[in-house]
Amino acid sequence: MSLVLSDVSFIAGGRKILDKIYLDLNPGELLAVIGPNGSGKSTLLKILSGELKPSSGHILLDGKSLDQYSPAELSMRRSVLSQESEVRFPFTSEEVVRLGRSGDTLRVPKQIEDTLVNRSFFKVDLDERHKQTLFPLLSGGEKQRSQLARVLVQDADPPNRQRYVLLDEPGASLDPNRQHRILILASELASEGRGVLVILHDLNLALRYADRVAVFNDGKLKECGKPEQVLSENFVNKIFKLRTIKIPFPEGKGSFLLPLGPSEIEESNLSHIKIIQENFRKKI
Ligand SMILES: Nc1ncnc2c1ncn2[C@@H]1O[C@H](COP(=O)(O)OP(=O)(O)OP(=O)(O)O)[C@@H](O)[C@H]1O
C-alpha cells in the first residue's frame, strides 16, 4: 500500500516540467519535498493528487491506477492543501472548513461533522472568533491555518481515515513557532499511519521532522533519502547555490544548517564567515 509515481514526466508550454520521476509515499512516513523555485514541486503534488494528468508514466494509489478512482473515491483516500488558498466568496472561516466535508461520500451526521470541525480548528490553533470571521478578512497566516483545518476535517476517525495527506508549503505564511507546530502536526498525522508529503522551503524543518527528503531541481529528482545524509553542505550548495555550515546537535541528535548566504558571495567577503565556522567547529 503506497502512493507511487513511476517514470512520470509532465510537459507544458513546450517544456519538460517533470522528467522521468520515480517516487513513493508510504503510510506512516513524513516525506519532505524540497527544491529551488520552479523546480517542479507543486506540479508533482498536483499530479500525485490527480489534479493534473502526467504526459507519460503511471501513478498507483494503493495498487490501482489513480485514474481508475472517481473524484469521490479519491476524496476519501487523500486530502490536499494546494499553494493557492484564496477564497473569493464571502464565506466565514467555518464555512470554508466545512467545505472539506462537502463531498457526497464524506457526509456524516451533523453532530459528528461539528466534532470534526471543532477538532480541526483546535489543531490549527484557531478559536471561535476566527471561525466566525469572513475568510477574506483573516490574516495571511489565519487563512493558511483555516485551509489546513479544511484539509484536516476531510479526515475522519478509523476506519475512514485518510491514507495520504499532501501539503504544499503549509507554513509559508506562518510565524516561526507555528511553522514548527504545523510540522509537529504533520508528524503526528504520519505516526497515526498516514503517508504525509510536505513541500517545504525551510531545510531545517526538513532536517528536523522529515523521515525522508526528496530534492528536486530543474524538474528532476536529484536525491531521495534520510535528510541527515542527503542535506550535506556541498549538496545544498550545489542545488540551492547557498553556503551553509552544518552544525551537529550534541549527543548525535541530528544537526541544523546555518545559512551563510548565496554562493555567489565573493570569497574575499567570506573571511568573517570562516571565523564563525572555525569557532563553531572548535566548540563542538
Ligand atoms: N501549465 C503550465 N504551463 C507552462 N509552464 C508551467 C505550467 N505549470 C508549471 N509550469 C512551470 O513549471 C515550473 C515548475 O512549476 P512549479 O509550480 O511546479 O514549481 P515549484 O517547484 O513548486 O516552485 P515554487 O517553489 O516557486 O513554488 C515553473 O517554471 C512553472 O512556470
Side-chain angles (χ1 to χ4, degrees):
M1 293 288 165
S2 48
L3 183 52
V4 182
L5 284 185
S6 176
D7 199 17
V8 163
S9 295
F10 181 73
I11 297 168
R15 273 183 58 215
K16 225 174 201 182
I17 313 288
L18 288 175
D19 191 4
K20 297 184 189 320
I21 307 298
Y22 290 84
L23 185 66
D24 56 349
L25 175 65
N26 302 301
E29 76 166 343
L30 177 55
L31 172 68
V33 172
I34 63 172
N37 288 140
S39 55
K41 305 177 298 296
S42 295
T43 306
L44 173 93
L45 188 137
K46 286 177 190 163
I47 284 182
L48 275 172
S49 69
E51 184 185 331
L52 282 179
K53 293 226 176 302
S55 309
S56 60
H58 306 281
I59 307 140
L60 290 181
L61 173 59
D62 294 341
K64 202 167 103 175
S65 178
L66 196 67
D67 50 22
Q68 288 181 280
Y69 289 90
S70 68
E73 284 173 324
L74 275 182
S75 70
M76 290 182 72
R77 279 177 176 76
R78 56 101 186 96
S79 39
V80 187
L81 177 73
S82 53
Q83 212 174 21
E84 302 82 23
S85 65
E86 242 350 293
V87 173
R88 314 232 173 266
F89 312 104
F91 281 6
T92 63
S93 171
E94 181 174 345
E95 284 168 328
V96 169
V97 171
R98 282 185 192 274
L99 289 177
R101 294 212 67 84
S102 58
D104 279 348
T105 46
L106 296 171
R107 288 253 181 266
V108 286
K110 172 92 168 66
Q111 207 181 347
I112 297 179
E113 181 173 311
D114 288 349
T115 307
L116 291 171
V117 168
N118 290 337
R119 191 167 73 184
S120 301
F121 271 105
F122 178 77
K123 282 188 175 170
V124 299
D125 193 25
L126 290 174
D127 59 25
E128 208 50 46
R129 175 179 70 82
H130 299 113
K131 264 179 160 176
Q132 303 315 326
T133 303
L134 287 179
F135 191 90
L137 300 181
L138 292 170
S139 76
E142 290 162 353
K143 282 179 186 164
Q144 198 166 29
R145 282 183 285 139
S146 296
Q147 290 290 12
L148 187 58
R150 179 185 54 75
V151 171
L152 295 176
V153 88
Q154 203 176 320
D155 209 335
D157 290 321
N160 295 322
R161 184 169 271 173
Q162 296 279 310
R163 287 186 168 284
Y164 304 98
V165 180
L166 312 172
L167 306 173
D168 197 343
E169 297 188 40
S173 309
L174 302 187
D175 63 52
N177 170 304
R178 289 198 167 91
Q179 287 187 15
H180 279 266
R181 284 166 59 181
I182 291 304
L183 265 294
I184 291 168
L185 182 57
S187 303
E188 284 168 7
L189 295 175
S191 64
E192 287 169 354
R194 301 171 189 86
V196 182
L197 181 149
V198 188
I199 296 178
L200 291 175
H201 277 297
D202 187 326
L203 305 180
N204 283 314
L205 290 177
L207 266 171
R208 175 107 181 242
Y209 295 104
D211 298 305
R212 285 194 301 151
V213 62
V215 185
F216 281 77
N217 198 10
D218 207 11
K220 296 187 176 66
L221 178 58
K222 292 294 184 183
E223 278 287 349
C224 187
K226 292 212 172 300
E228 277 298 337
Q229 284 156 15
V230 171
L231 297 175
S232 65
E233 291 169 7
N234 281 343
F235 184 70
V236 168
N237 199 351
K238 192 170 129 200
I239 300 291
F240 293 94
K241 306 207 170 13
L242 181 74
R243 285 183 203 271
T244 57
I245 312 177
K246 198 161 188 190
I247 301 179
F249 290 125
E251 298 165 17
K253 290 187 177 153
S255 58
F256 72 99
L257 286 160
L258 178 68
L260 302 178
S263 25
E264 297 88 346
I265 298 175
E266 302 242 342
E267 279 290 324
S268 57
N269 291 333
L270 282 172
S271 53
H272 65 293
I273 289 170
K274 285 196 172 134
I275 295 168
I276 299 173
Q277 196 163 7
E278 273 312 300
N279 284 344
F280 264 119
R281 293 223 156 104
K282 273 185 212 151
K283 275 188 193 157
I284 288 161

